[in-house]
Amino acid sequence: MPKTFLIDTTRCTACRGCQVACKEWKNLPAVPTKQTGTHQNPPDLTHFNLKLVRFSEHVEKNGKVSWYFFPDQCRHCLEAPCKQASSVEGAIIQDEATGAVIYTEKTAQEDFDVIRGACPYDIPRQNPENKRIVKCDMCSDRLKAGMLPMCVKSCAMGAMTFGERAEVMDLAQKRLAEVKKTKPKAQLLNPDDLAVIFLVEDDPKKYHEFAVAQAPALLTRKQMLAGAFSPLRRLARAMQG
Ligand code: SF4
Ligand code: SF4
Ligand code: SF4
């Protein structure tokens, strides 16, 4: 049974502690960035930023300003489209014990556009120097040592939970029921397909374009022949009712 995250955005204050903790644990260097008129910084995920707290501001019909926080990262898809699109043996693997989708040094031999294009959440990034494709690895080194992922450990607001899938799913449903009492639009995002489940209280599009699965930019011949991409197929089926 894979491990699972619950990221409860209703508890997130956009403190960015998780973003910084990820960077520190992964020993990723600081990079020049720029202020783009929003609290979100850097503006997007990069090969040195595997976790990014996205920040959106919306003016509602009544003139009130609402803020939406979304601590973005790889969803560790249960049937990962990026892995299905891989053409290099051993470049993208899935750890049996945890379900973590892990990119190895062999990703340098992959076609980056194909791998990024296959991801419904636009997560993979490439290091331009060594050509390796990178993303969150579920802090596999910490899991092996019996520790929580660094981002989960760092969240003082208790917005992130990590553990056995059945227990986290149970908690997610209970928390959803609680939030729905005051926020009827609350929902879990693609919970049946992912090991990183977000709870949001409003339209997911208000949080981030890729908060829910988007159609892949590139669907490879290999994927089409395999009839792969089950997360999107399930989503399409659900929308058809
Ligand atoms: Fe949100 Fe917790 Fe991350 Fe802070 S550490 S940005 S509260 S998820
Ligand atoms: Fe791969 Fe994207 Fe799924 Fe992560 S979210 S496992 S990068 S397809
Ligand atoms: Fe970063 Fe580890 Fe959290 Fe992934 S699980 S976002 S690598 S801190």
Side-chain angles (χ1 to χ4, degrees):
M1 192 59 116
K3 302 285 187 187
T4 295
F5 292 74
L6 172 64
I7 302 184
D8 182 351
T9 64
T10 69
R11 290 191 157 136
C12 176
T13 60
C15 73
R16 293 194 294 213
C18 53
Q19 181 178 315
V20 173
C22 175
K23 206 168 171 64
E24 286 191 340
W25 182 257
K26 293 296 180 190
N27 205 21
L28 294 170
V31 285
T33 184
K34 60 182 178 187
Q35 175 55 256
T36 57
T38 164
H39 183 69
Q40 181 177 313
N41 200 343
D44 200 1
L45 291 169
T46 75
H47 58 289
F48 289 150
N49 292 84
L50 311 182
K51 178 121 188 166
L52 174 69
V53 180
R54 297 191 182 276
F55 179 95
S56 308
E57 196 172 278
H58 294 272
V59 180
E60 308 297 346
K61 283 183 188 151
N62 61 7
K64 190 178 151 226
V65 174
S66 297
W67 288 342
Y68 294 83
F69 309 143
F70 194 85
D72 199 12
Q73 65 170 88
C74 170
R75 314 297 199 274
H76 295 280
C77 306
L78 303 187
E79 296 173 51
C82 61
K83 184 169 181 289
Q84 291 163 350
S86 169
S87 58
V88 179
E89 178 89 30
I92 301 179
I93 57 178
Q94 193 151 23
D95 181 61
E96 270 187 34
T98 61
V101 178
I102 296 172
Y103 286 8
T104 72
E105 68 282 352
K106 289 187 180 173
T107 53
Q109 301 164 41
E110 296 273 17
D111 182 329
F112 172 56
D113 289 339
V114 169
I115 299 302
R116 181 170 175 178
C119 175
Y121 304 96
D122 192 34
I123 296 297
R125 295 293 185 270
Q126 186 178 42
N127 184 321
E129 287 182 7
N130 62 22
K131 304 299 180 196
R132 275 193 67 167
I133 308 174
V134 293
K135 66 168 193 67
C136 156
D137 67 352
M138 207 187 266
C139 279
S140 291
D141 52 348
R142 292 178 60 88
L143 297 190
K144 280 190 190 122
M147 296 188 287
L148 284 171
M150 196 65 223
C151 53
V152 177
K153 178 83 178 166
S154 72
C155 181
M157 299 307 294
M160 281 185 280
T161 307
F162 179 85
E164 296 301 325
R165 182 166 181 84
E167 289 168 21
V168 175
M169 292 296 276
D170 188 44
L171 175 71
Q173 292 298 344
K174 284 186 179 142
R175 181 67 188 148
L176 175 64
E178 187 65 31
V179 176
K180 263 183 171 292
K181 287 178 189 167
T182 51
K183 305 282 182 183
K185 290 185 186 168
Q187 56 189 284
L188 301 171
L189 304 184
N190 303 130
D192 296 335
D193 297 321
L194 307 178
V196 178
I197 299 167
F198 284 84
L199 168 59
V200 298
E201 64 178 35
D202 203 346
D203 178 359
K205 287 279 183 194
K206 286 187 169 176
Y207 292 76
H208 172 40
E209 180 187 356
F210 293 91
V212 289
Q214 298 298 299
L218 292 168
L219 193 58
T220 65
R221 179 175 161 74
K222 183 179 166 190
Q223 282 176 295
M224 286 190 282
L225 287 174
F229 224 76
S230 60
L232 281 180
R233 282 192 285 121
R234 273 183 225 150
L235 187 67
R237 279 203 300 273
M239 287 172 75
Q240 285 162 4

